[in-house]
Amino acid sequence: MTSGVLFVISAPSGCGKTTILDEILRSTPGLIFSISHTTRAPRAGEQDGVAYHFTDEPLFRKMVGEDAFLEWAEVHGKLYGTSKGTVEHHRRRGLDVLLDIDTQGALQVRERLPAGEAVLIFIVPPSWQELERRLSGRGTELPENVTLRLKNARREMQCIDHYDFVVVNDDLPSAIATLRAIIIAERSRRRCSPDGLPIPILADLATDDCGA
Ligand code: ADP
Ligand code: 5GP
């Protein structure tokens, strides 16, 4: 039975991950976004159940106690987690699942899933100055939050060796094209088409004796 793969994407906050992932999700059939639970407050325009399931801390802690998360972590002072049941539901339907999670969560996924079921991809900015410029320029963070996120970025970058791929987000279209190429290459490794669908002729051959 086909079981989708997990594409786990991490990046320092402000690097451009959301911008890249919005385009990848829009243009990649068979790839679905995993909506995390978080205790952080919604930003202006964020609807519950779209980017996140906004959850109060007692409910989040209850879910931790029930082992409902594939991974969870405290990030920038708030709790974030990926629902185990939802991810498994998508994968059983043969969909590949895209997780936008921090480095602590990515390392938990790497430890918990068998080799080959999760592909870890790290997106990096072209420079620290450019990261600060993007983070401040987005206009969503208070100055103290910008400072905290930059400090966390330096810590997160130290985990880069645990990732399978690194994508530099300097020129946006190039970064999107590189991530798309990684997804297509990983799907081909699993004998799928670029759209993530199994290649029927190969399923037929699997029962044949190659004579070796
Ligand atoms: P993240 O999700 O990593 O926190 P965003 O996607 O919100 O980051 O991007 C942060 C800011 O940087 C946004 O204003 C976005 O338009 C801008 N941005 C993203 N990628 C690039 C790029 N390659 N060049 C210049 N600006 C970018
Ligand atoms: P933001 O609050 O800016 O949306 O996200 C802050 C950070 O939390 C980002 O690095 C994002 O990848 C991470 N994050 C979002 N959802 C999850 C999750 O379910 N688990 C973990 N570990 N990190 C998450």
Side-chain angles (χ1 to χ4, degrees):
M1 193 179 106
T2 309
S3 179
V5 76
L6 261 58
F7 289 100
V8 178
I9 320 278
S10 303
S13 178
C15 172
K17 180 175 53 175
T18 308
T19 310
I20 294 172
L21 298 189
D22 282 352
E23 175 55 23
I24 288 289
L25 285 161
R26 193 194 61 72
S27 59
T28 311
L31 181 68
I32 193 159
F33 180 66
S34 164
I35 304 173
S36 295
H37 288 70
T38 182
T39 62
R40 88 150 160 76
R43 295 186 185 125
E46 277 185 333
Q47 283 179 323
D48 188 33
V50 181
Y52 287 104
H53 298 293
F54 294 101
T55 310
D56 61 26
E57 190 162 338
L59 176 59
F60 193 101
R61 297 272 179 207
K62 184 168 171 279
M63 291 178 72
V64 171
E66 292 166 349
D67 197 24
F69 291 122
L70 170 64
E71 61 72 36
W72 70 276
E74 183 176 328
V75 189
H76 311 315
K78 300 292 176 189
L79 304 176
Y80 294 79
T82 302
S83 160
K84 204 187 270 182
T86 307
V87 166
E88 281 315 307
H89 171 76
H90 294 320
R91 293 185 71 204
R92 275 198 301 273
R93 290 165 60 215
L95 292 171
D96 294 333
V97 187
L98 192 148
L99 270 58
D100 167 352
I101 63 176
D102 87 317
T103 51
Q104 304 169 78
L107 299 193
Q108 290 174 42
V109 171
R110 169 105 311 158
E111 278 172 16
R112 286 172 195 171
L113 288 191
E117 291 195 14
V119 180
L120 271 55
I121 304 162
F122 204 104
I123 304 176
V124 297
S127 67
W128 292 112
Q129 293 95 315
E130 176 62 10
L131 178 63
E132 183 167 6
R133 193 193 67 75
R134 288 183 195 170
L135 203 46
S136 308
R138 191 171 62 182
T140 55
E141 309 300 327
L142 296 169
E144 59 266 33
N145 278 345
V146 171
T147 308
L148 176 64
R149 283 170 187 249
L150 285 171
K151 189 169 152 250
N152 288 345
R154 290 194 177 265
R155 186 176 39 74
E156 286 171 339
M157 293 280 276
Q158 288 169 359
C159 297
I160 209 158
D161 287 346
H162 294 277
Y163 284 71
D164 301 305
F165 295 97
V166 175
V167 175
V168 181
N169 180 22
D170 188 353
D171 172 62
L172 184 59
S174 303
I176 292 168
T178 303
L179 183 54
R180 184 174 290 123
I182 292 168
I183 292 171
I184 291 172
E186 282 298 324
R187 285 177 162 178
S188 304
R189 195 200 292 274
R190 294 182 300 129
R191 299 180 175 182
C192 290
S193 71
D195 287 349
L197 299 170
I199 300 170
I201 189 171
L202 294 179
D204 291 348
L205 290 177
T207 55
D208 287 354
D209 182 353
C210 69

